[in-house]
Every structure is written in C-alpha cells, then in structure tokens.
C-alpha cells in the first residue's frame, strides 16, 4: 500500500529562487506538451508520442536560445512534467469513454504562474537524498531544511516539492507500507458502529455518542471577512495587493489545516476502536447547491469519509456505505415502522406504532448500522486492504530520519 508523508520545508532565499525556476520550467514543458497535442488535433494528425515530445520539448529545446534555460533544472523534473500531461490526457479520454469513475473531466488546460499550487516531482533517477543532518538534498537546488515531525517507515520511492497558495513549501514522500504489519498494530475488536453525519453535530454514533461540529470556517469568518475586505481595496498588480492576497490565503490554510487535523484524529479513533463502520452515502454535491452550502463545505463530510475508506483498507477494517435514499430518519429503530419524512427542526419524535421516543440523529445512526449489516451479509467478505492513492496527510512517528531515507522506526500515529 502506498501512503504519502508530508513535511514542511524551509528553503533559504537562493533555494526559493531555484525552486521558482524549477516550477516555471516544469510548467512551460507541461504547456508545450498540451500545445503540441492540440496543434496535432487541429491539423488532423496523430498525437505525438511521449518519446517524440521528450526529444522535441526537452532535448532539442535546450539547444535553442528561447529554451536554453531549461538546462538550469533537473531533467527528471521536466520528464515528470511530461508524464503529468500524458496522465491528464489519459484521464480525459477515460472519462469520455466512461471508463473512469467520478465526475466528467475536461481536457488538460494550460498552467499559469499565478496558479495557487505549484509542484515538481523527483524520482529515484534524480539522485535526491536525505543528508546526515536531516536536510533534503535536491539536484540543482541544494540541501533544504526540513521540519521532521515523524519518521519515515521505509525508503521513499519519490518526493514531490509543493508550494501552496499560502507560500508554504512541503516535501511529500511516497512510501510503500506493509498491510500485514499495519493490521498487526491495530487492537483487536469486534465492535461495530453506525455514523450519522450532520450539521448540528458533526457525527452521531449508534451508541449514543455525539461529536460536536467544530465549525472552523464559521469561527474564522470575522477574520476572513476583514482580510478579504483589505484585499479588495488594494490596487491590482501592486505589492500591497500581493501581501493582502497572501494574508487571505494563510487564513484559509489555517482553517483547512484545523479541519483536516480534526478529521484525522476522529477517523483514526473510530478505525482503532471498531472493526466495522457504517456511514451514509450523502449527496454532498447536491447539498452544496442549497442554502446550507457553507455549512456543508465547512463540515467536510467527503474528506472525512475518504479518510475512513483508506484507513479501513490499510488496517483491515470494514467500511460499508448505505444508499442515500435509505429512510434512516423516518424509520423506527425499535419496531422498524416507517413514520414518514420530518422537517429538520424536529430533533425528537415518537413512533406512532410502538410509542418509542427517538432522538432523531441517534435513531438514524442505529438505522445506518442496521442497514449496513444487511449490506455486508449480502455482499460477502469485509473490505480487503489493497493499494490506494497515496494520502498526503498520513502520519508516522516523531524525529528526523537518518541516512539516505533508510527504513526507520515507526511509533505514535494520529
């Protein structure tokens, strides 16, 4: 299984300039690849192959006066940018042929230097390394200071350097982990739980536990409004506007980081304490078009359920999603009678069939668990752990690594 371990980078002024050159060169190569394929499409010619693009846009381009500065960065960065363009086209064509799950994807677009996120990737061929002093040595950039918040459990296969909208730099390492070893670290339990996600409470469990919604965005709204107001008053193109934009980005980053941390802590706690977890497949995209949109986005249900999914797969737990049309709020969890739809302001109701008084959310969580139990018995075996997309925020233990990314000791997790 592949996971991502992200660490904060603190490059000095010269290294920031080198990273800016690398971001720019990778962006130019990506845009040249998109332009070459678009020109071939308009001319009715076959798309150029990856080898042809590499020879024309990198090898031959370095010899020209217009693109000679491509030689100032690692060739691996440029090759990985071409691979990103190829992958973007593969995803686009797979989406057109409906072979790819999720919303329909559009064709690749040109990247801009004003994009909120810039990134470059170094594979093993780039000969990057971790020095004995715990710095990340990158080709043609130098040894960058890293804030090691945990140890790497194995040798990384690649590292991606990211600059986000708030101007922060991160190093994201891809690690291959052992599912059997991961499962052995989890305590054995036969507990199962149903989760009802909501806005009044972020989550209500079938055992009656209620977890309050932190509402990170709502709590930061006053500060965000002030920062946005200051930004709107700055002249476009001025340095003061750039500073104000950075201030807004940092405020949003603080909200996103706090929400992500909350999701990680809660999802890990639930995965650790329960063998089986049931959640409802909520129509988040539809709810985000209603008057509850801001609160729905603030809760971040999709991100939380995604964390439950990959952690369940990693640690050998079962996660079952029930259909969004299951009447969990209308059904009595005691006798099974369906009592009809109820407005959101009704938080308690009495079953007309058996007279049981229900808390709306707790009753729904119990029904989610019951429906998931039927789904498991119908579908068969629990979720099997497999290879999943690397998650950027997955954590390990504290301390800087030693050597050239060798396998290191694992301890405290989220």
């Amino acid at each position: 299984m592949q996971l991502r371990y992200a660490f904060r980078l603190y490059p000095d002024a010269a290294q920031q300039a080198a990273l800016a050159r690398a971001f720019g060169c990778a962006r130019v190569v990506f845009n040249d690849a998109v332009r070459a394929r678009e020109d071939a499409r308009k001319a009715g010619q076959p798309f150029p192959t990856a080898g042809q693009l590499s020879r024309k846009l990198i090898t031959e381009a370095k010899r020209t006066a217009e693109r000679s500065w491509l030689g100032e960065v690692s060739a691996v960065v440029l090759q990985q940018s071409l691979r990103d363009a190829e992958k973007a086209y593969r995803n686009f064509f797979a989406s057109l042929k409906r072979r790819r799950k999720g919303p329909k994807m559009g064709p690749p677009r040109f990247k801009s230097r004003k994009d909120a996120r810039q990134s470059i990737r170094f594979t093993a061929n780039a000969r990057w390394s971790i020095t004995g002093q715990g710095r990340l040595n990158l080709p043609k950039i130098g040894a960058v200071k890293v804030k090691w918040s945990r140890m790497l459990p194995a040798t990384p296969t690649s590292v991606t350097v990211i600059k986000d909208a708030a101007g922060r730099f991160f190093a994201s390492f891809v690690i291959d982990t052992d599912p059997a070893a991961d499962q052995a670290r989890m305590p054995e339990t036969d507990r199962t739980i149903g989760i009802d996600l909501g806005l009044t409470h972020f989550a209500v469990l079938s055992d009656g536990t209620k977890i309050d919604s932190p509402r990170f965005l709502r709590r930061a709204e006053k500060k965000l409004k002030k920062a946005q107001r200051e930004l709107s008053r700055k002249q476009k193109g001025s340095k003061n506007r750039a500073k104000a934009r950075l201030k807004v980005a940092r405020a949003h980053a603080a909200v996103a980081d706090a929400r992500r941390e909350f999701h990680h802590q809660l999802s890990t706690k639930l995965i650790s304490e329960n063998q089986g977890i049931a959640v409802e497949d909520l129509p988040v995209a539809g709810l985000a078009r209603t008057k509850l949109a801001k609160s729905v986005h603030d809760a971040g249900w999709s991100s939380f359920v995604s964390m439950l999914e990959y952690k369940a797969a990693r640690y050998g737990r079962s996660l079952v999603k029930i259909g969004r049309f299951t009447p969990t709020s209308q059904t009595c969890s005691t006798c099974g009678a369906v009592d009809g739809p109820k407005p959101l302001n009704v938080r308690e109701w009495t079953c007309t069939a058996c007279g049981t008084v229900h808390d709306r959310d707790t009753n729904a969580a119990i029904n989610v668990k019951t429906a998931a139990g039927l789904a498991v018995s119908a579908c068969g075996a629990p979720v099997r752990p497999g290879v999943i997309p690397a998650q950027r925020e997955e954590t390990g233990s504290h301390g800087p690594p030693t050597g050239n990314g060798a396998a290191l000791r694992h301890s405290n997790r989220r």
Side-chain angles (χ1 to χ4, degrees):
M1 180 177 294
Q2 288 188 323
L3 298 173
R4 283 193 180 274
Y5 287 68
F7 305 89
R8 183 79 180 269
L9 294 180
Y10 293 91
D12 57 30
Q15 292 168 347
Q16 289 187 32
L19 286 170
R21 286 194 298 270
F23 292 144
C25 291
R27 181 178 63 250
V28 166
V29 170
F30 182 93
N31 290 344
D32 287 346
V34 174
R35 187 177 295 107
R37 298 198 68 160
E38 286 299 303
D39 291 344
R41 181 186 65 82
K42 293 177 181 178
Q45 300 175 351
F47 284 151
T49 64
Q52 292 172 339
L53 288 176
S54 177
R55 182 171 58 255
K56 179 181 178 181
L57 302 182
I58 298 178
T59 306
E60 296 178 0
K62 289 180 180 179
R63 301 169 185 164
T64 64
E66 295 80 6
R67 292 284 192 269
S68 59
W69 35 265
L70 289 177
E72 298 177 5
V73 303
S74 171
V76 173
V77 169
L78 307 181
Q79 293 289 348
Q80 292 301 311
S81 188
L82 280 182
R83 292 193 177 188
D84 290 342
E86 288 293 317
K87 183 178 180 180
Y89 273 105
R90 286 198 302 270
N91 290 340
F92 168 57
F93 292 131
S95 179
L96 282 181
K97 298 176 182 178
R98 298 186 178 181
R99 293 201 303 261
R100 188 178 189 275
K101 295 181 179 179
K104 185 177 180 181
M105 293 189 64
R109 295 179 294 181
F110 293 117
K111 293 185 177 182
S112 170
R113 68 179 66 185
K114 297 181 181 179
D115 287 345
R117 184 180 185 274
Q118 306 278 351
S119 65
I120 52 175
R121 186 166 59 256
F122 296 90
T123 59
N125 294 335
R127 299 181 184 275
W128 60 272
S129 62
I130 300 173
T131 67
Q133 291 73 34
R135 289 180 174 249
L136 178 60
N137 192 17
L138 300 173
K140 298 192 177 181
I141 293 175
V144 185
K145 182 181 177 181
V146 186
K147 182 66 174 180
W148 297 104
S149 57
R150 60 197 71 93
M151 286 187 176
L152 299 177
T155 303
T157 58
S158 70
V159 59
T160 302
V161 179
I162 303 165
K163 182 182 179 182
D164 66 4
R168 303 177 300 179
F169 292 87
F170 294 91
S172 181
F173 299 92
V174 175
I175 303 292
D176 290 315
T177 63
D178 183 7
D182 290 335
Q183 294 177 32
R185 287 196 296 271
M186 274 287 132
E188 293 188 5
T189 178
D190 57 356
R191 286 187 56 191
T192 57
I193 203 78
I195 305 175
D196 178 63
L197 299 175
L199 298 177
T200 305
H201 294 90
F202 177 79
V204 177
L205 309 184
S206 56
D207 60 5
T209 304
K210 294 187 176 182
I211 301 166
D212 290 333
S213 179
R215 300 181 179 178
F216 296 107
L217 180 61
R218 295 289 187 182
R219 284 159 48 187
E221 268 188 324
K222 186 176 180 180
K223 182 178 180 180
L224 284 169
K225 285 181 180 179
K226 182 180 178 182
Q228 291 280 13
R229 193 162 52 242
E230 292 176 353
L231 175 62
S232 67
R233 293 169 179 169
K234 299 297 186 290
Q235 183 179 357
K236 290 186 178 181
S238 66
K239 290 185 178 180
N240 283 337
R241 184 177 178 86
K243 293 178 183 177
R245 185 210 62 79
L246 196 60
K247 187 176 180 180
V248 173
R250 286 172 177 169
H252 279 289
V255 173
D257 290 346
R259 183 188 298 116
R260 188 182 305 113
E261 181 71 13
F262 169 73
H263 288 167
H264 267 300
Q265 290 182 357
L266 179 57
S267 59
T268 300
K269 182 176 184 294
L270 293 174
I271 289 292
S272 176
E273 295 176 352
N274 300 278
Q275 177 62 38
I277 298 176
V279 294
E280 190 176 3
D281 186 17
L282 295 172
V284 177
L287 291 171
R289 292 192 292 267
T290 67
K291 63 181 180 180
L292 300 174
K294 183 180 289 189
S295 296
V296 170
H297 286 305
D298 192 10
W301 293 328
S302 294
S303 174
F304 174 70
V305 173
S306 296
M307 289 182 185
L308 285 177
E309 279 189 291
Y310 85 79
K311 290 181 181 181
R314 179 183 184 185
Y315 296 114
R317 305 303 203 195
S318 300
L319 178 70
V320 181
K321 291 183 181 180
I322 69 167
R324 62 186 62 175
F325 298 110
T326 305
T328 56
S329 296
Q330 305 174 25
T331 306
C332 173
S333 58
T334 303
C335 66
V338 179
D339 206 18
K342 302 164 186 64
L344 289 176
N345 62 343
V346 177
R347 309 316 302 172
E348 286 188 358
W349 57 279
T350 304
C351 177
T352 57
C354 65
T356 305
V357 179
H358 291 293
D359 177 276
R360 179 192 182 107
D361 298 328
T362 304
N363 176 74
I366 296 173
N367 288 330
V368 168
K369 178 181 176 180
T370 303
L374 296 175
V376 169
S377 63
C379 296
V383 178
R384 293 177 56 193
V387 176
I388 59 172
Q391 302 294 322
R392 172 176 172 250
E393 300 83 13
E394 188 64 28
T395 61
S397 60
H398 298 278
T402 58
N404 187 18
L408 300 167
R409 184 173 53 85
H410 214 33
S411 64
N412 298 333
R413 298 181 301 277
R414 286 188 188 271

